[in-house]
Coordinates of all heavy atoms in Angstrom, one line a residue:
G1 N 0.8 -1.2 0.0 CA 0.0 0.0 0.0 C 0.8 1.2 0.0 O 2.1 1.2 0.0
D2 N 0.2 2.4 0.0 CA 0.9 3.6 0.0 C 1.1 4.1 1.5 O 0.3 4.8 2.1 CB 0.0 4.7 -0.7 CG 0.7 6.0 -0.8 OD1 1.9 6.1 -0.7 OD2 0.0 7.0 -0.8
E3 N 2.2 3.6 2.1 CA 2.5 3.9 3.5 C 3.9 4.4 3.6 O 4.8 4.1 2.8 CB 2.4 2.6 4.3 CG 1.0 1.9 4.2 CD 1.1 0.5 4.9 OE1 2.1 0.2 5.6 OE2 0.1 -0.2 4.7
P4 N 4.1 5.3 4.5 CA 5.4 5.9 4.7 C 6.5 4.8 5.0 O 6.2 3.8 5.7 CB 5.3 6.8 6.0 CG 3.8 7.1 6.0 CD 3.1 5.9 5.5
G5 N 7.6 4.9 4.3 CA 8.7 4.0 4.5 C 8.7 2.8 3.6 O 9.7 2.1 3.6
Q6 N 7.7 2.7 2.7 CA 7.7 1.5 1.8 C 8.8 1.6 0.8 O 9.4 0.6 0.5 CB 6.4 1.4 1.1 CG 5.3 0.9 2.0 CD 5.6 -0.5 2.5 OE1 5.8 -1.4 1.7 NE2 5.6 -0.7 3.8
L7 N 9.1 2.8 0.3 CA 10.2 2.9 -0.7 C 11.5 2.5 0.0 O 12.3 1.7 -0.6 CB 10.3 4.3 -1.2 CG 11.5 4.6 -2.2 CD1 11.4 3.6 -3.4 CD2 11.4 6.0 -2.7
L8 N 11.8 2.9 1.2 CA 13.0 2.6 1.9 C 13.1 1.1 2.1 O 14.2 0.5 1.9 CB 13.1 3.3 3.2 CG 14.3 3.0 4.1 CD1 15.6 3.4 3.4 CD2 14.2 3.7 5.4
T9 N 12.0 0.4 2.4 CA 12.0 -1.0 2.6 C 12.3 -1.7 1.3 O 13.1 -2.7 1.3 CB 10.6 -1.5 3.1 OG1 10.3 -0.8 4.3 CG2 10.6 -2.9 3.4
I10 N 11.7 -1.3 0.2 CA 12.0 -2.0 -1.1 C 13.4 -1.7 -1.5 O 14.1 -2.7 -2.0 CB 11.0 -1.4 -2.2 CG1 9.6 -1.9 -1.9 CG2 11.4 -1.8 -3.6 CD1 8.5 -1.3 -2.8
L11 N 13.9 -0.5 -1.3 CA 15.3 -0.3 -1.7 C 16.2 -1.2 -0.8 O 17.3 -1.7 -1.4 CB 15.6 1.2 -1.5 CG 14.9 2.2 -2.4 CD1 15.3 3.6 -2.0 CD2 15.2 1.9 -3.9
G12 N 15.9 -1.4 0.4 CA 16.7 -2.3 1.3 C 16.7 -3.7 0.8 O 17.7 -4.4 0.8
V13 N 15.5 -4.2 0.3 CA 15.4 -5.5 -0.2 C 16.3 -5.7 -1.5 O 17.0 -6.7 -1.6 CB 13.9 -5.9 -0.6 CG1 13.8 -7.1 -1.4 CG2 13.1 -6.0 0.7
L14 N 16.2 -4.7 -2.4 CA 17.1 -4.8 -3.6 C 18.5 -4.6 -3.3 O 19.4 -5.3 -3.9 CB 16.6 -3.7 -4.6 CG 15.2 -3.8 -5.1 CD1 14.8 -2.6 -6.0 CD2 15.0 -5.1 -5.9
D15 N 18.9 -3.8 -2.3 CA 20.3 -3.6 -1.9 C 20.9 -4.9 -1.3 O 22.0 -5.3 -1.7 CB 20.4 -2.4 -0.9 CG 21.8 -2.2 -0.5 OD1 22.7 -2.0 -1.4 OD2 22.1 -2.2 0.7
T16 N 20.1 -5.5 -0.5 CA 20.6 -6.8 0.1 C 20.9 -7.8 -0.9 O 21.8 -8.6 -0.8 CB 19.5 -7.3 1.1 OG1 19.3 -6.3 2.1 CG2 19.9 -8.6 1.7
A17 N 20.1 -7.8 -2.0 CA 20.3 -8.8 -3.1 C 21.4 -8.3 -4.1 O 21.6 -8.9 -5.1 CB 19.0 -9.0 -3.9
K18 N 22.0 -7.1 -3.8 CA 23.0 -6.5 -4.7 C 22.5 -6.2 -6.1 O 23.2 -6.4 -7.1 CB 24.2 -7.4 -4.8 CG 24.8 -7.8 -3.5 CD 25.4 -6.7 -2.8 CE 26.2 -7.1 -1.5 NZ 26.0 -6.2 -0.4
I19 N 21.3 -5.7 -6.1 CA 20.6 -5.3 -7.4 C 20.7 -3.7 -7.5 O 20.3 -3.0 -6.6 CB 19.2 -5.7 -7.4 CG1 19.1 -7.2 -7.4 CG2 18.5 -5.1 -8.6 CD1 17.7 -7.8 -7.1
N20 N 21.3 -3.3 -8.6 CA 21.5 -1.8 -8.8 C 20.3 -1.3 -9.5 O 19.8 -1.9 -10.5 CB 22.7 -1.5 -9.6 CG 24.0 -1.9 -8.8 OD1 24.1 -1.5 -7.7 ND2 24.9 -2.6 -9.4
I21 N 19.8 -0.1 -9.1 CA 18.7 0.6 -9.8 C 19.2 1.6 -10.7 O 20.0 2.5 -10.3 CB 17.8 1.2 -8.7 CG1 17.2 0.2 -7.8 CG2 16.6 2.0 -9.4 CD1 16.5 0.7 -6.6
E22 N 18.9 1.5 -12.0 CA 19.3 2.5 -12.9 C 18.4 3.8 -12.8 O 18.9 4.9 -12.9 CB 19.3 1.9 -14.3 CG 20.3 0.8 -14.5 CD 20.3 0.2 -15.9 OE1 19.9 0.8 -16.8 OE2 20.7 -1.0 -16.0
Y23 N 17.1 3.6 -12.7 CA 16.2 4.7 -12.5 C 14.9 4.1 -12.0 O 14.6 2.9 -12.0 CB 16.0 5.5 -13.7 CG 15.4 4.8 -14.9 CD1 14.0 4.6 -15.0 CD2 16.2 4.4 -15.9 CE1 13.5 4.0 -16.1 CE2 15.7 3.7 -17.0 CZ 14.3 3.5 -17.1 OH 13.8 2.9 -18.2
M24 N 14.0 5.0 -11.4 CA 12.7 4.5 -10.9 C 11.7 5.7 -11.0 O 12.1 6.8 -11.0 CB 12.8 4.0 -9.5 CG 13.1 5.0 -8.5 SD 12.5 4.6 -6.8 CE 10.7 4.7 -7.1
Y25 N 10.5 5.3 -11.1 CA 9.4 6.3 -11.0 C 8.4 5.8 -10.0 O 8.2 4.6 -9.8 CB 8.6 6.4 -12.4 CG 9.5 6.8 -13.5 CD1 10.0 5.9 -14.4 CD2 9.7 8.2 -13.8 CE1 10.7 6.3 -15.5 CE2 10.5 8.6 -14.9 CZ 11.0 7.6 -15.7 OH 11.8 8.0 -16.8
A26 N 7.8 6.7 -9.2 CA 6.8 6.3 -8.2 C 5.5 7.2 -8.5 O 5.6 8.4 -8.8 CB 7.4 6.6 -6.8
F27 N 4.4 6.5 -8.3 CA 3.1 7.1 -8.5 C 2.2 6.7 -7.4 O 2.2 5.6 -6.9 CB 2.5 6.7 -9.8 CG 3.3 6.9 -11.0 CD1 4.2 5.9 -11.5 CD2 3.3 8.1 -11.7 CE1 5.0 6.1 -12.6 CE2 4.1 8.3 -12.9 CZ 4.9 7.3 -13.3
K28 N 1.3 7.6 -7.0 CA 0.2 7.2 -6.1 C -1.1 7.0 -6.9 O -1.4 7.8 -7.8 CB -0.1 8.3 -5.1 CG -1.3 8.0 -4.2 CD -1.2 8.8 -2.9 CE -2.4 8.6 -2.1 NZ -3.2 7.4 -2.2
V29 N -1.7 5.9 -6.7 CA -3.0 5.6 -7.4 C -4.1 6.3 -6.6 O -4.3 5.8 -5.5 CB -3.2 4.1 -7.6 CG1 -4.5 3.8 -8.3 CG2 -2.0 3.4 -8.3
S30 N -4.6 7.3 -7.1 CA -5.5 8.2 -6.3 C -6.8 7.6 -5.8 O -7.2 7.9 -4.8 CB -5.8 9.5 -7.1 OG -6.5 9.2 -8.3
H31 N -7.3 6.7 -6.6 CA -8.6 6.1 -6.2 C -8.5 4.9 -5.3 O -9.5 4.3 -4.8 CB -9.5 5.7 -7.4 CG -8.8 4.7 -8.3 ND1 -7.8 5.1 -9.2 CD2 -9.0 3.4 -8.4 CE1 -7.4 4.0 -9.8 NE2 -8.1 2.9 -9.4
E32 N -7.3 4.5 -5.0 CA -7.0 3.4 -4.1 C -5.8 3.8 -3.2 O -5.1 4.6 -3.5 CB -6.6 2.1 -4.9 CG -7.7 1.6 -5.8 CD -7.3 0.4 -6.5 OE1 -6.6 -0.4 -5.9 OE2 -7.8 0.2 -7.7
N33 N -5.7 3.1 -2.1 CA -4.5 3.3 -1.2 C -3.4 2.5 -1.7 O -2.9 1.6 -1.0 CB -4.9 3.0 0.3 CG -3.8 3.3 1.2 OD1 -3.0 4.3 1.0 ND2 -3.6 2.6 2.3
K34 N -2.9 2.7 -2.9 CA -1.8 2.0 -3.5 C -0.8 2.9 -4.1 O -1.1 4.0 -4.4 CB -2.3 1.1 -4.6 CG -3.2 -0.1 -4.1 CD -3.6 -1.0 -5.3 CE -4.4 -2.1 -4.8 NZ -4.8 -3.0 -5.9
A35 N 0.4 2.4 -4.1 CA 1.5 3.1 -4.8 C 2.0 2.2 -5.9 O 2.0 1.0 -5.8 CB 2.6 3.5 -3.9
L36 N 2.4 2.8 -7.0 CA 3.0 2.1 -8.1 C 4.4 2.6 -8.3 O 4.6 3.8 -8.4 CB 2.2 2.3 -9.4 CG 2.7 1.7 -10.7 CD1 2.7 0.2 -10.6 CD2 1.9 2.2 -11.9
M37 N 5.4 1.6 -8.4 CA 6.8 2.0 -8.6 C 7.3 1.2 -9.8 O 7.0 0.0 -9.9 CB 7.6 1.7 -7.4 CG 7.2 2.5 -6.2 SD 8.3 2.1 -4.8 CE 7.1 2.1 -3.5
I38 N 7.9 1.9 -10.7 CA 8.5 1.3 -11.9 C 10.0 1.4 -11.7 O 10.6 2.5 -11.5 CB 8.0 2.1 -13.1 CG1 6.5 1.9 -13.2 CG2 8.7 1.5 -14.4 CD1 5.9 2.8 -14.3
F39 N 10.7 0.3 -11.8 CA 12.1 0.3 -11.7 C 12.8 -0.2 -13.0 O 12.3 -1.1 -13.6 CB 12.5 -0.7 -10.6 CG 12.1 -0.3 -9.2 CD1 10.9 -0.7 -8.7 CD2 13.0 0.4 -8.4 CE1 10.6 -0.3 -7.4 CE2 12.7 0.8 -7.1 CZ 11.4 0.4 -6.6
K40 N 14.0 0.3 -13.2 CA 14.9 -0.2 -14.3 C 16.1 -0.7 -13.5 O 16.8 0.2 -12.8 CB 15.2 0.9 -15.3 CG 16.4 0.5 -16.2 CD 15.9 -0.6 -17.2 CE 17.0 -0.8 -18.2 NZ 17.2 -2.2 -18.6
V41 N 16.3 -2.0 -13.5 CA 17.4 -2.5 -12.7 C 18.4 -3.3 -13.6 O 18.2 -3.6 -14.7 CB 16.9 -3.5 -11.6 CG1 16.0 -2.7 -10.6 CG2 16.1 -4.6 -12.3
D42 N 19.6 -3.6 -13.0 CA 20.6 -4.2 -13.8 C 20.4 -5.8 -13.8 O 21.0 -6.4 -14.7 CB 22.0 -3.9 -13.2 CG 22.3 -4.4 -11.8 OD1 21.3 -4.7 -11.1 OD2 23.5 -4.4 -11.4
Q43 N 19.7 -6.3 -12.9 CA 19.5 -7.8 -12.9 C 18.0 -8.0 -12.8 O 17.5 -8.4 -11.7 CB 20.2 -8.4 -11.7 CG 21.7 -8.2 -11.7 CD 22.3 -8.7 -10.5 OE1 22.4 -10.0 -10.3 NE2 22.7 -7.9 -9.6
E44 N 17.3 -7.9 -13.9 CA 15.8 -7.9 -13.9 C 15.2 -9.2 -13.4 O 14.4 -9.2 -12.5 CB 15.2 -7.6 -15.3 CG 13.7 -7.5 -15.3 CD 13.2 -7.1 -16.6 OE1 13.8 -6.2 -17.3 OE2 12.2 -7.7 -17.1
P45 N 15.7 -10.4 -13.8 CA 15.1 -11.6 -13.3 C 15.3 -11.8 -11.8 O 14.4 -12.2 -11.1 CB 15.8 -12.7 -14.1 CG 16.3 -12.1 -15.3 CD 16.6 -10.7 -14.9
L46 N 16.5 -11.5 -11.3 CA 16.8 -11.6 -9.9 C 15.9 -10.6 -9.1 O 15.4 -10.9 -8.1 CB 18.2 -11.3 -9.6 CG 18.6 -11.3 -8.1 CD1 18.3 -12.7 -7.5 CD2 20.1 -11.0 -8.0
A47 N 15.7 -9.4 -9.6 CA 14.9 -8.4 -9.0 C 13.4 -8.8 -8.9 O 12.8 -8.7 -7.8 CB 15.0 -7.0 -9.7
I48 N 12.9 -9.3 -9.9 CA 11.5 -9.8 -10.0 C 11.4 -10.9 -8.9 O 10.4 -10.9 -8.1 CB 11.1 -10.3 -11.4 CG1 11.0 -9.2 -12.3 CG2 9.8 -11.1 -11.3 CD1 10.9 -9.6 -13.8
Q49 N 12.2 -11.9 -8.9 CA 12.1 -13.0 -7.9 C 12.3 -12.5 -6.5 O 11.6 -12.9 -5.6 CB 13.1 -14.1 -8.3 CG 12.8 -15.4 -7.5 CD 11.4 -15.9 -7.8 OE1 11.0 -16.1 -8.9 NE2 10.6 -16.1 -6.7
T50 N 13.3 -11.6 -6.3 CA 13.5 -11.1 -4.9 C 12.3 -10.4 -4.4 O 11.9 -10.5 -3.2 CB 14.8 -10.2 -5.0 OG1 15.9 -11.0 -5.4 CG2 15.0 -9.6 -3.6
L51 N 11.7 -9.5 -5.2 CA 10.6 -8.7 -4.8 C 9.4 -9.7 -4.5 O 8.7 -9.5 -3.5 CB 10.2 -7.7 -5.8 CG 11.2 -6.5 -5.9 CD1 10.9 -5.6 -7.1 CD2 11.2 -5.7 -4.6
K52 N 9.1 -10.6 -5.4 CA 8.1 -11.6 -5.2 C 8.3 -12.4 -3.9 O 7.4 -12.6 -3.1 CB 7.9 -12.5 -6.4 CG 7.3 -11.9 -7.6 CD 7.2 -12.9 -8.7 CE 6.5 -12.3 -9.9 NZ 6.4 -13.3 -11.0
D53 N 9.5 -12.8 -3.7 CA 9.9 -13.6 -2.5 C 9.6 -12.8 -1.2 O 9.4 -13.4 -0.1 CB 11.3 -14.1 -2.5 CG 11.6 -15.2 -3.5 OD1 10.6 -15.7 -4.1 OD2 12.8 -15.4 -3.8
N54 N 9.7 -11.5 -1.3 CA 9.5 -10.6 -0.2 C 8.0 -10.0 -0.1 O 7.8 -9.1 0.6 CB 10.5 -9.5 -0.2 CG 11.8 -9.9 0.3 OD1 12.1 -9.9 1.5 ND2 12.7 -10.4 -0.6
G55 N 7.1 -10.7 -0.8 CA 5.7 -10.3 -0.7 C 5.2 -9.2 -1.5 O 4.1 -8.8 -1.4
Y56 N 6.0 -8.7 -2.5 CA 5.6 -7.6 -3.3 C 4.9 -8.1 -4.6 O 5.3 -9.2 -5.1 CB 6.8 -6.7 -3.7 CG 7.3 -6.0 -2.5 CD1 8.4 -6.4 -1.9 CD2 6.7 -4.8 -2.1 CE1 8.9 -5.8 -0.7 CE2 7.2 -4.1 -0.9 CZ 8.3 -4.6 -0.3 OH 8.8 -4.0 0.8
V57 N 3.9 -7.4 -5.0 CA 3.2 -7.7 -6.3 C 4.1 -7.1 -7.4 O 4.5 -5.9 -7.4 CB 1.8 -7.1 -6.4 CG1 1.2 -7.3 -7.7 CG2 1.0 -7.7 -5.3
V58 N 4.5 -7.9 -8.4 CA 5.3 -7.5 -9.5 C 4.6 -7.6 -10.8 O 4.1 -8.7 -11.1 CB 6.7 -8.3 -9.5 CG1 7.5 -7.8 -10.7 CG2 7.4 -8.1 -8.2
Y59 N 4.5 -6.5 -11.5 CA 4.0 -6.6 -12.9 C 5.2 -6.5 -13.8 O 6.0 -5.6 -13.8 CB 3.1 -5.3 -13.2 CG 1.9 -5.2 -12.2 CD1 1.9 -4.2 -11.2 CD2 0.9 -6.2 -12.2 CE1 0.9 -4.1 -10.3 CE2 -0.1 -6.1 -11.2 CZ -0.1 -5.0 -10.3 OH -1.1 -4.9 -9.4
E60 N 5.3 -7.6 -14.6 CA 6.5 -7.8 -15.4 C 6.4 -7.1 -16.8 O 7.4 -7.0 -17.5 CB 6.8 -9.2 -15.6 CG 7.1 -9.9 -14.3 CD 7.4 -11.4 -14.4 OE1 8.2 -11.7 -15.4 OE2 6.9 -12.2 -13.6
N61 N 5.2 -6.6 -17.1 CA 5.1 -5.8 -18.4 C 3.9 -4.9 -18.3 O 3.1 -4.9 -17.3 CB 4.9 -6.8 -19.6 CG 3.7 -7.7 -19.4 OD1 2.6 -7.3 -19.1 ND2 3.9 -9.0 -19.5
Q62 N 3.8 -4.0 -19.3 CA 2.7 -3.0 -19.2 C 1.3 -3.5 -19.2 O 0.4 -3.0 -18.6 CB 2.9 -2.0 -20.4 CG 2.0 -0.8 -20.4 CD 2.2 0.1 -21.5 OE1 3.2 -0.1 -22.3 NE2 1.5 1.2 -21.6
E63 N 1.1 -4.6 -20.0 CA -0.2 -5.2 -20.0 C -0.7 -5.7 -18.7 O -1.8 -5.5 -18.3 CB -0.2 -6.4 -21.1 CG -0.1 -5.9 -22.5 CD 1.4 -5.6 -22.9 OE1 2.3 -6.1 -22.2 OE2 1.5 -4.8 -23.8
Q64 N 0.2 -6.4 -17.9 CA -0.2 -6.8 -16.6 C -0.5 -5.6 -15.7 O -1.5 -5.7 -14.9 CB 1.0 -7.6 -16.0 CG 1.2 -9.0 -16.5 CD 2.4 -9.6 -15.9 OE1 3.2 -9.0 -15.1 NE2 2.6 -10.9 -16.2
M65 N 0.3 -4.6 -15.8 CA 0.1 -3.4 -15.0 C -1.2 -2.7 -15.3 O -2.0 -2.4 -14.4 CB 1.2 -2.4 -15.1 CG 1.1 -1.2 -14.3 SD 2.4 0.0 -14.6 CE 2.0 0.5 -16.2
M66 N -1.5 -2.6 -16.5 CA -2.8 -1.9 -17.0 C -4.0 -2.7 -16.6 O -5.0 -2.1 -16.2 CB -2.7 -1.6 -18.5 CG -1.6 -0.6 -18.9 SD -1.6 0.9 -18.0 CE -3.1 1.7 -18.7
S67 N -3.9 -4.0 -16.6 CA -5.1 -4.8 -16.3 C -5.4 -4.8 -14.8 O -6.5 -5.0 -14.3 CB -4.9 -6.2 -16.7 OG -3.9 -6.9 -16.1
A68 N -4.4 -4.5 -14.0 CA -4.5 -4.4 -12.5 C -5.2 -3.1 -12.0 O -5.7 -3.0 -11.0 CB -3.2 -4.6 -11.8
F69 N -5.1 -2.1 -12.9 CA -5.6 -0.8 -12.5 C -6.7 -0.4 -13.4 O -7.3 0.4 -13.6 CB -4.5 0.3 -12.5 CG -3.5 0.1 -11.4 CD1 -2.3 -0.7 -11.7 CD2 -3.7 0.5 -10.1 CE1 -1.4 -0.9 -10.7 CE2 -2.7 0.3 -9.1 CZ -1.6 -0.4 -9.4

């Protein structure tokens, strides 16, 4: 959800896995208590699995993301 500290938590998860972030965008979904973050990372398969293993919902492409919102 859109809660204080969530970005820091996600960055910590990626840092622990030694995944570098090239860039990111963050958005608040106004009609729901959700935040959407888009990451460009250096190890995409590892990042996807790491985030999923830590309980995050991961949309691997634009179609998946658009169907969720």
Side-chain angles (χ1 to χ4, degrees):
D2 181 30
E3 300 172 13
Q6 285 298 306
L7 177 57
L8 180 61
T9 302
I10 292 171
L11 294 177
V13 167
L14 295 174
D15 181 55
T16 298
K18 305 294 186 217
I19 298 166
N20 294 310
I21 300 169
E22 295 179 23
Y23 60 84
M24 69 155 292
Y25 299 99
F27 305 91
K28 174 156 176 27
V29 179
S30 61
H31 61 281
E32 299 181 32
N33 186 31
K34 292 184 178 181
L36 174 66
M37 294 181 224
I38 299 171
F39 292 90
K40 171 68 173 146
V41 296
D42 66 344
Q43 300 178 71
E44 187 176 316
L46 178 59
I48 290 169
Q49 192 59 53
T50 298
L51 291 171
K52 286 180 177 180
D53 288 350
N54 281 273
Y56 293 98
V57 176
V58 177
Y59 303 111
E60 297 182 42
N61 58 52
Q62 185 176 358
E63 292 78 24
Q64 287 179 350
M65 182 184 67
M66 295 305 288
S67 67
F69 294 93

